[in-house]
Amino acid sequence: MECVRKVTDDLYWVGGNDRRLALFENIFPISRGVSYNSYLLMDEKTVLLDTADRSISEQFFENITAVLGEHSLDILVVNHMEPDHCALIGDLVRRYPKLQIIGNAKTFQMMQQFFDFDIDGRSIVVKEGDTFDSGKHELHFVMAPMVHWPEAMVTYDATDKILFSADGFGSFGALPGSIFADELDFDRDWLDDARRYYTNIVGKYGSSVQALLKKAAGLDIQMICPLHGPVWREDLGYILDKYQKWSTYEPEEKGVVIAYASMYGNTENAANACACKLADRGVRKIAVYDVSNTDVSELIAEIFRYSHLVLAAPTYNGAIYPKMEHLLLDMKALNVQGRTVALVENGTWAATTAKQMHAQLEALKNMTVLDAELSIKSALKNDQGTQLDALCDAIAASVKES
């Protein structure tokens, strides 16, 4: 049976949810699954905006068939060619032989790489500023390269003032029947997934997101329809403000993330002692994570969220403990910048981790590494209390000044 929601009088959500998928892109844990959003506009010419992942193909086609009724499908707009949104294009073409496809030049270049049907014979190539009249609705096409693939674009319905935002403004998490953000407690239940989605999927491309936000500022947008997660029809300023901060790498909150690696609990003890002393100094937002037991995507999201970071790790085979090095490499890959960092190292015979972590951080933009460092030989001793106090004093003072 179909499972659809009306977005407006003539626009329908015809997507679906996958709660069985454990890893998004086979990398990121998604305990609450994910939605694949697709939208069907019932105008003089029927227009489908993006398809979906093959995992929900049966539900997807039931939804389309139910909404179309006796109508055929005339137009497919492809905003993004990633397989979780384009996998069913070939099936659509077989079901609707007269289907025309709208995309940009890079869209069709990629489509040729994925599919073997006659693409040229049904393609409508658009560029920045082009429009398409489906009857009542006038669709405008805005290029969004590297948000987060080079062919990405967004579609603006000037009639109903809706932005179909491709992967922008998306979130992990399957939709619970409610598809609108105002039907959900977004801040409580969805913000963490939205942040983790942005920072790990799009985070590297802040300048590209900024370029798209500047274009969007020139449009009268009353609703945002992303390809994952809830639709925004109220309080758009809330999510736009988040994207402004995330894409400029501005912290959402003053606070400290303590990310530690520990083989036998000694470095963990130092991390916990640091957390207690920071709390004593009035730092109210402190998050402590074991990098060995926390997925790196969650760590990245928290680093985007908070202003300060403590990295604590032992030396391992003369190098940085592997899980900590993985985090540092991800920070570089995802363009983390503008944070203040304190370093804690441990080593039974060769404590060199702080120097090596410092070198890794120097490769990132606008990072401030505090002079106060803590070096432990095997286990933190009471006579190092003064050094730990100095470290925590420096962190707390920096948080208050930020």
Side-chain angles (χ1 to χ4, degrees):
M1 182 178 174
E2 74 273 8
C3 179
V4 303
R5 286 290 307 271
K6 259 194 171 187
V7 180
T8 66
D9 286 342
D10 55 4
L11 179 68
Y12 296 81
W13 178 85
V14 292
N17 296 290
D18 189 346
R19 293 182 177 85
R20 297 183 181 185
L21 186 66
L23 296 173
F24 186 79
E25 294 185 348
N26 215 21
I27 300 176
F28 307 109
I30 46 171
S31 61
R32 300 194 307 146
V34 68
S35 73
Y36 300 110
N37 300 341
S38 176
Y39 306 92
L40 181 54
L41 182 62
M42 295 298 292
D43 204 353
E44 292 174 23
K45 290 186 177 178
T46 57
V47 181
L48 180 69
L49 293 113
D50 294 290
T51 70
D53 189 85
R54 188 163 295 282
S55 64
I56 64 159
S57 59
E58 184 174 354
Q59 183 71 74
F60 176 74
F61 284 112
E62 284 186 8
N63 291 347
I64 289 176
T65 301
V67 174
L68 284 173
E70 296 179 356
H71 299 275
S72 184
L73 182 61
D74 300 314
I75 301 292
L76 169 66
V77 175
V78 179
N79 288 304
H80 187 23
M81 270 300 299
E82 200 165 2
D84 56 335
H85 306 300
C86 79
L88 303 177
I89 293 176
D91 297 286
L92 275 176
V93 168
R94 285 186 286 274
R95 287 170 179 253
Y96 304 102
K98 294 182 180 180
L99 181 69
Q100 292 183 291
I101 304 175
I102 294 176
N104 60 63
K106 285 187 172 67
T107 303
F108 291 110
Q109 178 186 337
M110 290 186 181
M111 202 175 294
Q112 296 279 3
Q113 296 168 190
F114 280 106
F115 299 103
D116 294 321
F117 62 83
D118 176 20
I119 293 170
D120 292 338
R122 63 181 72 249
S123 62
I124 301 173
V125 182
V126 296
K127 60 184 184 303
E128 182 78 30
D130 282 353
T131 63
F132 178 81
D133 189 345
S134 63
K136 174 186 171 185
H137 295 264
E138 184 178 78
L139 304 179
H140 295 235
F141 304 104
V142 179
M143 300 303 113
M146 298 318 301
V147 184
H148 62 121
W149 277 25
E151 90 310 344
M153 68 180 194
V154 299
T155 300
Y156 175 65
D157 178 357
T159 304
D160 283 346
K161 299 177 173 53
I162 298 174
L163 183 70
F164 297 93
S165 61
D167 268 352
F169 305 103
S171 176
F172 296 134
L175 292 167
S178 306
I179 69 165
F180 298 103
D182 56 275
E183 296 178 322
L184 305 162
D185 191 332
F186 190 89
D187 202 61
R188 185 191 67 190
D189 299 331
W190 287 82
L191 178 57
D192 287 350
D193 270 336
R195 183 189 299 110
R196 190 162 66 92
Y197 174 87
Y198 174 88
T199 56
N200 288 277
I201 304 298
V202 191
K204 179 179 180 178
Y205 306 108
S207 60
S208 299
V209 175
Q210 277 288 296
L212 178 58
L213 288 175
K214 286 180 172 65
K215 292 180 183 181
L219 303 172
D220 181 8
I221 300 171
Q222 301 298 318
M223 188 181 298
I224 299 174
C225 292
L227 289 177
H228 298 289
V231 171
W232 288 87
R233 63 182 179 183
E234 294 181 8
D235 197 15
L236 271 59
Y238 172 95
I239 193 65
L240 287 169
D241 178 66
K242 295 297 183 187
Y243 263 64
Q244 176 64 22
K245 283 185 166 66
W246 296 338
S247 62
T248 55
Y249 306 95
E250 177 186 346
E252 286 175 73
E253 303 180 52
K254 289 184 179 183
V256 182
V257 179
I258 301 175
Y260 71 86
S262 189
M263 288 182 281
Y264 303 109
N266 293 304
T267 311
E268 179 183 17
N269 171 250
N272 287 329
C274 179
C276 287
K277 287 183 178 291
L278 288 175
D280 280 341
R281 285 158 174 75
V283 179
R284 291 291 170 258
K285 294 186 177 179
I286 305 167
V288 183
Y289 295 98
D290 180 349
V291 299
S292 295
N293 292 320
T294 308
D295 189 77
V296 70
S297 67
E298 296 181 26
L299 299 172
I300 290 292
E302 290 291 81
I303 291 169
F304 265 78
R305 179 180 182 179
Y306 289 113
S307 58
H308 287 66
L309 173 63
V310 177
L311 298 178
T315 305
Y316 193 85
N317 286 335
I320 302 170
Y321 190 78
K323 289 286 188 176
M324 182 62 73
E325 186 166 31
H326 184 188
L327 171 59
L328 286 161
L329 291 172
D330 252 33
M331 288 170 61
K332 181 179 180 181
L334 294 168
N335 210 15
V336 169
Q337 56 189 270
R339 297 299 185 269
T340 299
V341 187
L343 299 176
V344 177
E345 67 177 4
N346 194 351
T348 298
W349 66 91
T352 62
T353 312
K355 181 180 179 180
Q356 295 180 67
M357 289 193 292
H358 199 151
Q360 295 262 23
L361 292 166
E362 285 177 349
L364 308 183
K365 297 177 183 177
N366 303 319
M367 301 294 278
T368 300
V369 180
L370 296 175
D371 291 334
E373 292 181 357
L374 178 61
S375 183
I376 304 164
K377 289 187 176 180
S378 302
L380 184 64
K381 300 294 186 178
N382 289 335
D383 61 9
Q384 288 189 286
T386 302
Q387 296 173 45
L388 179 59
D389 283 337
L391 178 76
C392 294
D393 286 341
I395 298 167
S398 180
V399 170
K400 291 173 184 177
E401 291 170 2
S402 62

